[in-house]
Amino acid sequence: MSHAESPRPRPVVGRTLLGLALIVGATACGADGNPLAARPYDATDQISFKGPTGEGRKADPDKPLEITAADSGGRITDVTAVDAAGRWVAGELSADGARWHSTEPLAADARYTVRVSTEDEDGAPGRRVLTFDTGKPTGKKRLTVAFGPKTGTYGVGQPVTAELSQPVKDPAQRAVIERALKVDAKPFAQGAWHWVDDKKLHYRPKDYWPAHAEVHVHSNLEGIKIGDRLWGGRSKDLRFTIGDRVIAVTDAASHSLAFYKNGEEIKRIPVTTGKPGFETRNGVKVILGKEYFVRMRGTTVGIAEGSADSYDLPVYYAARVTWSGEYVHAAPWSVGSQGHANVSHGCTGMSTENAQWFFDNVREGDVVQVVNSQGHTMETFGNGFGEWNLDWTKWSAGSALTGGGQKTPQDTSRLRPAAV
């Protein structure tokens, strides 16, 4: 929606919708008395539309939509333009009401409807309705988007991922893409996209998702020009739901895990975390998956076989929190240390009974936070979902719309897997 100052005392608002095939329609007729109370008159002769007028002719989607007022003393007060898919076009109305133009690309091969409101020198309202088609895109490449996670129910920390079919580096092109990627949540949750690299974006709310929210992710890129010979293609929508608000907080100093559900602590579990040299990562992590059985070997994390730290163990009830191998899992061999000392190689260990309870009460997307560990902070990207370790200002800085789409530096030198 665009706004413009008016020299008249009445405020003016200009809006933009995306619209439909050039047909001129009109509403009619003035009325005696107060012109502001009159029905709109036919404003066909009061405005000019720079577009095709012949049957079968189509507008060039590369060119902006422009509407101007005629030299008859009237002015444009409002413009809306929308396409058949319901996509609105942003635009600007000049302060004197003489000109309105679109400020974002039109979709190719689309039908638009444009509604123009005017007023004459006496303040009487006029209206004109236009419809037109745009031509097919001239570019050969189509950019599509694959959204994640899969349809299902997730915890309040689950981010949305968007994988592009083509790399995009240009900030202006990124802004076009980001503007077309929509995330709607009920209840509403303020959020933002963050460019991870040239082909991947992540989206998260400012705070965790509301419990039991419904999330709909979709792309409005189809038919939109992104860059030279690159146009948006059709992408599949994503819908998923959020479960209870589950947050597990592990205190490495007190060797305990507090389990919170919907704001209430419902269980406290004795645990052991990483010993010196294998400290558990501090910070917020998100459960990536659950595995009933995992065979964990020290050799997979660089520990020489036969050394004092070597291990080869069957592990049960394992909830993964990093791709490099950090889990919350059953560790019956360290029950004597749980609640008293940190003896693991980076994982959070607990008794088999407690691990089974934890396993049964968490899902993908639930939050696991570690505090008071001597380890480094969880990586933001590349080793799981560590985006919650950025404050909102830094997260928003990764948006092409609010912060320029700058990528967040990350330390990849310490992606050492941690296990048991």
Side-chain angles (χ1 to χ4, degrees), residues 1 15-19 60-66 81-83 86-92 100-108 112 132 134 172 175-180 182 220 223-226 401:
M1 186 175 288
R15 290 185 304 169
T16 352
L17 287 187
L18 247 139
D60 185 348
D62 281 347
K63 296 181 179 179
L65 175 62
E66 183 176 8
V82 67
D83 71 359
R87 294 178 292 187
W88 295 63
V89 180
E92 290 183 353
W100 178 94
H101 69 281
S102 59
T103 56
E104 64 183 14
L106 301 178
Y112 286 87
F132 68 93
T134 55
V176 171
I177 293 170
E178 194 176 326
R179 193 177 290 113
K182 306 296 184 181
N220 283 335
I224 298 295
K225 184 177 182 180
I226 299 167
L401 300 178

Side-chain angles (χ1 to χ4, degrees), residues 68-79:
T68 56
D71 297 328
S72 58
R75 68 192 183 97
I76 300 169
T77 60
D78 184 75
V79 177

Side-chain angles (χ1 to χ4, degrees), residues 79-258:
V79 177
T80 62
V82 67
D83 71 359
R87 294 178 292 187
W88 295 63
V89 180
E92 290 183 353
L93 179 62
S94 63
D96 60 2
R99 175 179 178 267
W100 178 94
H101 69 281
S102 59
T103 56
E104 64 183 14
L106 301 178
D109 199 20
R111 172 160 286 191
Y112 286 87
T113 298
V114 182
R115 292 176 174 85
V116 184
S117 296
T118 66
E119 67 177 20
D120 63 15
E121 290 182 300
D122 298 322
R127 182 173 298 169
R128 186 183 181 188
V129 179
L130 310 168
T131 61
F132 68 93
D133 292 321
T134 55
K136 293 183 179 296
T138 57
K140 293 184 177 181
K141 292 183 179 180
R142 296 291 184 273
L143 184 141
T144 58
V145 186
F147 293 117
K150 297 178 180 179
T151 297
T153 301
Y154 296 87
V156 297
Q158 178 66 45
V160 177
T161 63
E163 186 82 26
L164 308 182
S165 61
Q166 305 280 344
V168 176
K169 297 181 179 181
D170 181 79
Q173 295 180 18
R174 286 186 172 193
V176 171
I177 293 170
E178 194 176 326
R179 193 177 290 113
L181 303 184
K182 306 296 184 181
V183 181
D184 300 318
K186 296 182 180 179
F188 171 78
Q190 179 187 358
W193 289 100
H194 186 111
W195 286 80
V196 178
D197 56 38
D198 295 338
K199 292 185 67 176
K200 187 179 296 181
L201 300 83
H202 285 189
Y203 181 99
R204 50 153 271 207
K206 182 177 181 180
D207 302 305
Y208 298 132
W209 295 105
H212 311 298
E214 297 179 356
V215 183
H216 179 206
V217 187
H218 57 108
S219 168
N220 283 335
L221 275 174
E222 185 177 9
I224 298 295
K225 184 177 182 180
I226 299 167
D228 186 30
R229 300 177 65 81
L230 179 62
W231 293 78
R234 180 175 298 181
S235 301
K236 185 178 180 180
D237 286 10
L238 166 67
R239 294 181 184 271
F240 65 94
T241 57
I242 301 297
D244 291 319
R245 181 184 175 93
V246 171
I247 299 175
V249 180
T250 298
D251 188 329
S254 64
H255 319 293
S256 66
L257 181 150

Side-chain angles (χ1 to χ4, degrees), residues 37-66:
R39 294 181 61 191
Y41 59 83
D42 182 353
T44 297
D45 296 332
Q46 198 175 31
I47 64 169
S48 173
F49 166 65
K50 294 184 178 180
T53 57
E55 181 66 28
R57 297 182 63 193
K58 296 185 177 182
D60 185 348
D62 281 347
K63 296 181 179 179
L65 175 62
E66 183 176 8

Side-chain angles (χ1 to χ4, degrees), residues 363-376:
R363 57 166 44 99
E364 286 185 46
D366 283 342
V367 175
V368 175
Q369 182 177 7
V370 176
V371 298
N372 296 324
S373 172
Q374 299 304 308
H376 67 281

